[in-house]
Amino acid sequence: MTVSDELWPDVQPATARRLMLAGVESFAERGYHATTTRDIAGAAGMSPAALYVHFPSKAALLFEISRSGHEQTLALVEDVLTRAEDPVERMRLLVEDFVAWHARRHTVARVVQYELNALPEREYQVVGKLRRRIEQVVREVITQGLGSDAFTVADPQVAAVAVLSLGIDVARWYSDRARLTPTALGKEYGELVLRMLGAR
Amino acid sequence: MTVSDELWPDVQPATARRLMLAGVESFAERGYHATTTRDIAGAAGMSPAALYVHFPSKAALLFEISRSGHEQTLALVEDVLTRAEDPVERMRLLVEDFVAWHARRHTVARVVQYELNALPEREYQVVGKLRRRIEQVVREVITQGLGSDAFTVADPQVAAVAVLSLGIDVARWYSDRARLTPTALGKEYGELVLRMLGAR
């Protein structure tokens, strides 16, 4: 299984996945605006014309990368709600998975998190909706924990932003040379967040 | 006093400051690699030739923005060591000031934090040294707090990364429309970090 198969199992055909990976690598290295469709096609070993068979534009390719990254993180965040009932356990799992994803997928995550403003208006709205849903789940778990006296925080909205910030910023600094594996880092951050929220 | 006077009081003459501000705005909007010296000069209302009087290259301009941003944040972090002795008080002040800086200067901070890889090798080394010094101060305060039983953390290195992450990521999401002022956000984050470190 190649990296691009693992990243986007639902994208068909394999050529489209290869172009998305080439896009991720080019955008992460030089930024969206400095990357041309020719650069991306070249990095995938294709002609610019072959790229347009799969993506009508550079923006469409970015949107696929962004949408899919947001859908994946939303899915793991929502999954936590079905895996646990207790707010402390939910928050621990949520942070573990969210942090591990941003570490394991740090190059994809960098594009997903830092190239939002490059999305066209309509595509930005779609991704914005997914982001708001992710934030909402985090806020819901915090509210649940406040209700059961499991958490104590002065400003739940600020706390939710801080929880997500810790995970998102992993994409900026994490590298394959990092001391901790994605899973180990997730576990450490899970503990830190529970303390931050006043659990126990 | 203009924004650029406030940001870089030590840079002379005012024209150089104006170019730095134009650089910050262009880099923050389109990224370093997609910005030309012509774009920057134009945004500052000058000719490209006038830019070269002050900065030999686009990279030199980025370096000035980056170096100055890192020096400013290092100065406020180091200043905390002289303002307080107690590790809890030191950490509170450090987070308050570091977070407030990233909120107040969010556009500058975005360039400072997210365009590191665009710096040429030698300039990257200079900035890297400033970054390591900032990280060292944070680790020192955590170590001091562990020594006096004011803090309890399983992995002090991970905790230091998390403290800085919370501040740095503010540059990504903060805007002038944010609900809390930079100072109020710093205060909230100071509380969250102290809890994260197990204070009290």
Side-chain angles (χ1 to χ4, degrees):
Chain A
M1 194 144 111
T2 68
V3 177
S4 61
D5 295 344
E6 211 185 300
L7 284 169
W8 303 291
D10 301 335
V11 176
Q12 291 297 343
T15 315
R17 297 197 292 273
R18 229 162 78 213
L19 284 164
M20 282 170 75
L21 187 62
V24 160
E25 282 164 358
S26 310
F27 297 155
E29 196 185 321
R30 299 181 44 84
Y32 174 80
H33 293 291
T35 302
T36 63
T37 48
R38 182 172 290 273
D39 295 333
I40 299 167
M46 293 177 214
S47 70
L51 183 147
Y52 290 112
V53 171
H54 302 284
F55 299 98
S57 63
K58 184 174 71 156
L61 179 64
L62 174 66
F63 177 54
E64 268 313 293
I65 294 165
S66 186
R67 193 184 50 77
S68 132
H70 282 92
E71 279 175 354
Q72 286 178 37
T73 44
L74 174 57
L76 59 87
V77 159
E78 281 184 328
D79 192 42
V80 161
L81 301 180
T82 67
R83 287 163 64 203
E85 289 280 325
D86 175 54
V88 172
E89 203 44 33
R90 279 180 168 178
M91 186 54 77
R92 185 198 305 283
L93 293 170
L94 190 155
V95 173
E96 283 181 5
D97 290 358
F98 193 74
V99 166
W101 189 89
H102 283 82
R104 191 169 295 119
R105 303 279 179 247
H106 55 91
T107 313
V108 173
R110 227 165 274 168
V111 174
V112 167
Q113 298 294 356
Y114 300 123
E115 294 288 6
L116 282 181
N117 291 329
L119 289 168
E121 183 57 23
R122 218 169 53 99
E123 284 77 1
Y124 184 89
Q125 297 302 334
V126 174
V127 167
K129 219 169 148 180
L130 296 168
R131 290 183 82 82
R132 281 192 297 280
R133 179 70 192 126
I134 293 170
E135 287 158 20
Q136 201 187 323
V137 173
V138 174
R139 276 202 300 270
E140 275 170 22
V141 177
I142 293 177
T143 306
Q144 187 197 356
L146 290 172
S148 69
D149 287 328
F151 300 150
T152 51
V153 282
D155 189 323
Q157 253 183 284
V158 168
V161 169
V163 168
L164 289 168
S165 249
L166 281 171
I168 291 169
D169 196 59
V170 166
R172 180 187 57 81
W173 65 263
Y174 195 86
S175 83
D176 296 330
R177 298 177 309 280
R179 185 171 55 91
L180 296 185
T181 62
T183 308
L185 183 70
K187 286 205 182 301
E188 286 291 332
Y189 269 47
E191 280 300 316
L192 292 176
V193 163
L194 287 182
R195 292 160 64 144
M196 193 169 85
L197 299 178
R200 267 152 311 172
Chain B
M1 195 144 108
T2 68
V3 176
S4 60
D5 295 346
E6 213 185 299
L7 284 170
W8 303 289
D10 300 335
V11 176
Q12 293 296 344
T15 314
R17 297 197 293 273
R18 230 162 78 213
L19 284 163
M20 283 170 74
L21 187 62
V24 160
E25 283 163 357
S26 310
F27 297 153
E29 197 186 321
R30 297 180 45 86
Y32 175 80
H33 294 291
T35 302
T36 63
T37 49
R38 182 172 289 275
D39 295 334
I40 300 167
M46 293 177 215
S47 70
L51 182 147
Y52 290 112
V53 171
H54 301 285
F55 299 99
S57 63
K58 185 175 70 156
L61 180 65
L62 174 65
F63 177 53
E64 269 310 294
I65 293 164
S66 186
R67 192 183 52 78
S68 130
H70 282 92
E71 280 175 355
Q72 285 177 39
T73 44
L74 174 56
L76 59 86
V77 158
E78 282 186 327
D79 192 41
V80 160
L81 302 180
T82 67
R83 286 162 64 203
E85 290 278 325
D86 176 55
V88 173
E89 204 44 33
R90 279 180 168 177
M91 186 53 79
R92 184 198 305 282
L93 293 171
L94 191 156
V95 172
E96 283 181 5
D97 289 359
F98 192 74
V99 166
W101 190 88
H102 283 82
R104 190 169 295 119
R105 304 278 179 248
H106 55 91
T107 314
V108 173
R110 227 165 273 168
V111 174
V112 167
Q113 299 293 356
Y114 301 123
E115 294 288 6
L116 282 182
N117 291 330
L119 288 169
E121 182 56 23
R122 216 168 54 98
E123 284 77 1
Y124 184 89
Q125 296 303 333
V126 173
V127 167
K129 219 168 147 180
L130 296 168
R131 290 183 84 81
R132 283 192 295 282
R133 179 70 192 129
I134 293 169
E135 287 158 23
Q136 200 186 325
V137 173
V138 174
R139 277 202 299 271
E140 276 170 20
V141 176
I142 292 177
T143 306
Q144 187 197 356
L146 290 172
S148 69
D149 288 328
F151 299 151
T152 51
V153 282
D155 189 324
Q157 253 183 285
V158 167
V161 169
V163 168
L164 289 169
S165 250
L166 281 171
I168 290 170
D169 196 59
V170 166
R172 179 186 57 82
W173 64 263
Y174 195 86
S175 82
D176 296 332
R177 299 178 307 281
R179 185 171 55 91
L180 296 185
T181 62
T183 308
L185 183 70
K187 286 202 184 302
E188 286 292 333
Y189 269 46
E191 279 301 317
L192 292 176
V193 163
L194 288 181
R195 291 159 64 144
M196 192 170 86
L197 299 178
R200 269 153 309 173

